[in-house]
């Protein structure tokens, strides 16, 4: 009896140890990050900024160990944040029980600022641009998206070469900020990188030309083009799925879509249109990505109609402006910078989880891709706008 009890207890201890190791290993597969948010303007909403950078970290599989923030009035040229904050973060990294692999700074750093901070903290430092490029690098599937991300990554790495060389973490590879198509860059020098960028630009230009040919074909077929635009995670891909009854990838992660997907949309009475889904926007979208994705974004400019999708459930108010309203502003600003003057419909999505009802105007529609509420009205508005 005693022996049986002993074996039973022994088994439980062994199982427990195996389980704990598994849990630890799973945790160890992610890089641990300390995140620093920086507010520089009055209109910066700290809470929103922290939420967004944490979501970006989640989208590139980082485990956020702690958030720090600073409202910066006078920039420290070499470290952006002040000495007191630098010391506080350094102390945290040194005393933290888990190994901190990376410090994420939610602000565009120069190569030397990143290097200075990295020398002080003794870990890799990646800024907001690096995080966003990393998400793109993981998500790029098509040849075109891979080339575009690679170009953006090269543009990002070039001024930071010296910081990045030799900064491989405990995962063997260089990890966040340096993974994906550009991972081999760490052994490269400036000249090789510049040559590669030249070659990437040529390849992208070639694809752009092919794209223009397809566009000509489309114009010949005289089908109107409708493009889905909006802040990342607004529900653009879900709306395309809902309208054309498809199943393209949609996910609760930032930048789930990087490739342009086009489908034929039936409008009724024998009329069709081409519906195109593309990459989402975000505030301070890195210029490296805007440049690299220029040909994809140009597709938007050719559209006869833009469906500007908005996640209306983001109703948290800050500085007298709701989060979804701030996101509309960001999208409009980016569209303006591209020179877009297209006809538009604002599609307020996710109305199934909307707290308080909102008032909408003539060119606007309230929908839910989950419950299909408002989809018929959206189709009618599309037909009206296209003169069908
Ligand atoms: N509750 C609710 N969730 C929705 C609705 N539409 C989309 N979602 C969810 O919102 C998340 C983002 O949806 P996507 O369609 O991937 O958003 P997107 O705009 O294509 O995002 P990116 O490709 O990352 O720019 C997913 O988890 C969807 O399930 C809706 O009407 N209601
Ligand atoms: Mg999408």
């Amino acid at each position: 009896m005693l022996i049986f009890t002993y074996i039973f207890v022994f088994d439980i201890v062994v199982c427990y140890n195996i389980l704990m190791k598994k849990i630890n290993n799973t945790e160890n597969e992610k890089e641990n990050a300390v995140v620093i948010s920086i507010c520089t303007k009055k209109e910066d909403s700290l809470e929103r900024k922290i939420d967004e950078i944490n979501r970006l970290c989640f989208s590139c599989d980082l485990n956020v160990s702690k958030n720090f923030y600073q409202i910066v009035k006078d920039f420290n040229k070499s470290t952006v944040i002040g000495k007191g904050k630098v010391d506080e973060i350094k102390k945290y990294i040194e005393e933290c029980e888990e190994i901190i692999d990376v410090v994420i700074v939610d602000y565009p750093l120069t190569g030397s600022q990143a290097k200075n901070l990295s020398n002080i903290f003794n870990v890799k430092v990646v800024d907001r641009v690096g995080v966003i490029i990393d998400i793109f690098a993981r998500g790029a599937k098509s040849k075109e998206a891979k080339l575009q991300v690679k170009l953006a990554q090269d543009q990002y790495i070039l001024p930071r070469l010296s910081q990045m060389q030799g900064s491989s973490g405990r995962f063997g590879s260089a990890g966040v900020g340096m993974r994906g198509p550009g991972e081999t860059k760490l052994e490269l020098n400036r000249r090789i990188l510049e040559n590669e960028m030249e070659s990437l630009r040529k390849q992208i230009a070639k694809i752009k030309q092919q794209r223009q040919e397809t566009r000509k074909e489309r114009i010949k077929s005289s089908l109107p083009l409708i493009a889905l635009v909006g802040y990342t995670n607004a529900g653009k891909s879900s709306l395309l799925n809902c309208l054309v009854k498809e199943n393209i990838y949609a996910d609760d992660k930032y930048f789930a879509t990087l490739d342009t997907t086009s489908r034929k949309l039936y409008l009724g009475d024998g009329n069709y249109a081409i519906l195109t889904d593309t990459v989402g926007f975000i505030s301070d979208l890195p210029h490296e990505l805007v440049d690299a994705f220029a040909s994809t974004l140009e597709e938007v400019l050719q559209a006869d109609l833009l469906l500007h999708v908005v996640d209306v459930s983001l109703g948290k108010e800050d500085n007298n402006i709701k989060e979804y309203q701030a996101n509309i502003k960001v999208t409009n600003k980016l569209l303006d910078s591209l020179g877009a003057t297209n006809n538009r419909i604002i599609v307020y999505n996710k109305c199934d989880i909307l707290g308080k009802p909102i008032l909408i105007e003539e060119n606007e529609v309230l929908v839910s891709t989950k419950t299909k509420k408002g989809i018929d009205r959206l189709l009618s508005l599309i037909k009206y706008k296209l003169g069908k």
Side-chain angles (χ1 to χ4, degrees):
M1 185 66 190
L2 200 68
I3 289 175
F4 275 126
T5 313
Y6 177 76
I7 290 173
F8 180 67
V9 171
F10 181 76
D11 277 352
I12 288 181
V13 170
V14 169
C15 284
Y16 175 76
N17 282 341
I18 291 173
L19 189 70
M20 284 316 286
K21 263 192 187 167
K22 265 200 166 163
I23 290 170
N24 285 338
N25 275 343
T26 318
E27 279 172 0
N28 281 344
E29 275 168 22
K30 292 189 176 186
E31 286 182 278
N32 295 319
V34 159
V35 177
I36 312 172
S37 298
I38 296 169
C39 276
T40 54
K41 292 175 277 181
K42 244 194 189 165
E43 62 270 24
D44 276 353
S45 154
L46 188 61
E47 201 185 330
R48 201 174 286 161
K49 270 179 104 72
I50 293 176
D51 271 4
E52 187 165 276
I53 190 69
N54 282 349
R55 293 218 48 175
L56 285 167
C57 289
F58 165 74
S59 298
C60 61
D61 265 347
L62 287 173
N63 170 47
V64 175
S65 170
K66 191 169 167 71
N67 283 92
F68 289 88
Y69 69 88
Q70 184 159 61
I71 297 163
V72 179
K73 282 195 194 103
D74 300 311
F75 275 94
N76 180 318
K77 274 194 187 133
S78 61
T79 53
V80 181
I81 48 171
K83 184 168 182 320
K85 190 56 76 179
V86 169
D87 290 344
E88 186 188 338
I89 298 166
K90 184 176 163 65
K91 189 164 181 278
Y92 176 82
I93 293 171
E94 284 168 357
E95 291 174 2
C96 184
E97 272 183 17
E98 55 198 356
I99 299 168
I100 300 299
D101 301 286
V102 57
V103 170
I104 303 292
V105 182
D106 188 9
Y107 193 77
L109 298 175
T110 63
S112 61
Q113 284 166 342
K115 193 171 182 177
N116 293 339
L117 285 170
S118 173
N119 287 341
I120 298 170
F121 296 143
N122 231 345
V123 293
K124 177 175 60 170
V125 172
V126 176
D127 65 5
R128 176 188 175 86
V129 182
V131 172
I132 297 178
I133 292 181
D134 190 84
I135 300 173
F136 274 64
R138 291 160 154 254
K141 297 277 181 305
S142 72
K143 187 178 171 200
E144 185 178 15
K146 280 184 183 158
L147 291 172
Q148 289 171 318
V149 173
K150 209 169 178 194
L151 178 60
Q153 221 167 11
D154 283 358
Q155 261 177 276
Y156 177 72
I157 289 173
L158 197 62
R160 296 170 175 80
L161 257 184
S162 62
Q163 188 225 338
M164 289 180 167
Q165 270 157 346
S167 63
S168 69
R170 69 185 159 111
F171 296 93
S173 95
V176 67
M178 290 160 241
R179 138 177 66 204
E183 199 155 0
T184 53
K185 292 303 146 339
L186 303 179
E187 290 100 45
L188 295 183
N189 66 32
R190 171 172 288 271
R191 200 168 44 79
I192 298 175
L193 211 57
E194 279 167 348
N195 287 344
E196 187 180 72
M197 283 161 72
E198 189 55 36
S199 148
L200 287 168
R201 283 199 186 95
K202 281 186 187 152
Q203 292 179 66
I204 293 169
K206 212 167 158 190
I207 296 179
K208 185 178 167 184
Q209 208 178 344
Q210 286 160 1
R211 210 187 252 278
Q212 274 163 351
E213 295 300 319
T214 326
R215 200 176 290 146
K216 275 186 206 150
E217 294 286 314
R218 186 186 60 77
I219 292 167
K220 255 193 248 162
S221 75
S222 77
L223 289 185
L225 180 68
I226 306 170
L228 292 156
V229 293
Y231 213 77
T232 183
N233 211 48
K236 300 176 293 298
S237 305
S238 305
L239 185 60
L240 182 134
N241 285 336
C242 182
L243 287 169
V244 300
K245 301 180 180 64
E246 270 265 355
N247 197 14
I248 64 164
Y249 178 58
D251 197 356
D252 198 17
K253 280 192 168 181
Y254 280 0
F255 304 112
T257 307
L258 292 181
D259 291 313
T260 306
T261 308
S262 296
R263 293 288 183 273
K264 222 169 165 184
L265 169 67
Y266 185 57
L267 297 170
D269 303 325
N271 292 312
Y272 286 91
I274 304 282
L275 184 61
T276 296
D277 179 24
T278 188
V279 59
F281 297 163
I282 195 163
S283 63
D284 305 319
L285 188 65
H287 75 88
E288 290 91 341
L289 284 169
V290 177
D291 291 351
F293 276 76
S295 62
T296 305
L297 294 171
E298 269 170 28
E299 187 104 350
V300 165
L301 304 182
Q302 307 297 325
D304 301 285
L305 180 63
L306 297 184
L307 301 186
H308 178 167
V309 185
V310 178
D311 178 350
V312 74
S313 71
L314 301 173
K316 229 191 257 173
E317 204 163 307
D318 214 324
N319 286 331
N320 290 327
I321 177 161
K322 294 206 163 80
E323 188 170 351
Y324 73 83
Q325 290 168 325
N327 292 353
I328 292 176
K329 273 193 174 176
V330 169
T331 303
N332 283 338
K333 204 170 147 198
L334 252 151
L335 287 171
D336 287 348
S337 73
L338 292 170
T341 52
N342 322 52
N343 238 333
R344 286 171 211 188
I345 297 175
I346 298 222
V347 184
Y348 290 111
N349 185 34
K350 310 196 190 180
C351 73
D352 55 301
I353 48 169
L354 174 65
K356 276 189 195 156
I358 62 156
L359 279 176
I360 55 165
E361 297 186 8
E362 213 176 289
N363 287 330
E364 302 176 348
V365 56
L366 203 57
V367 306
S368 163
T369 68
K370 283 260 150 82
T371 64
K372 314 279 185 277
K373 192 175 169 199
I375 298 296
D376 284 344
R377 171 157 153 68
L378 172 61
L379 274 168
S380 307
L381 204 52
I382 291 174
K383 279 191 261 183
Y384 172 72
K385 286 276 177 188
L386 293 175
K388 300 285 174 195

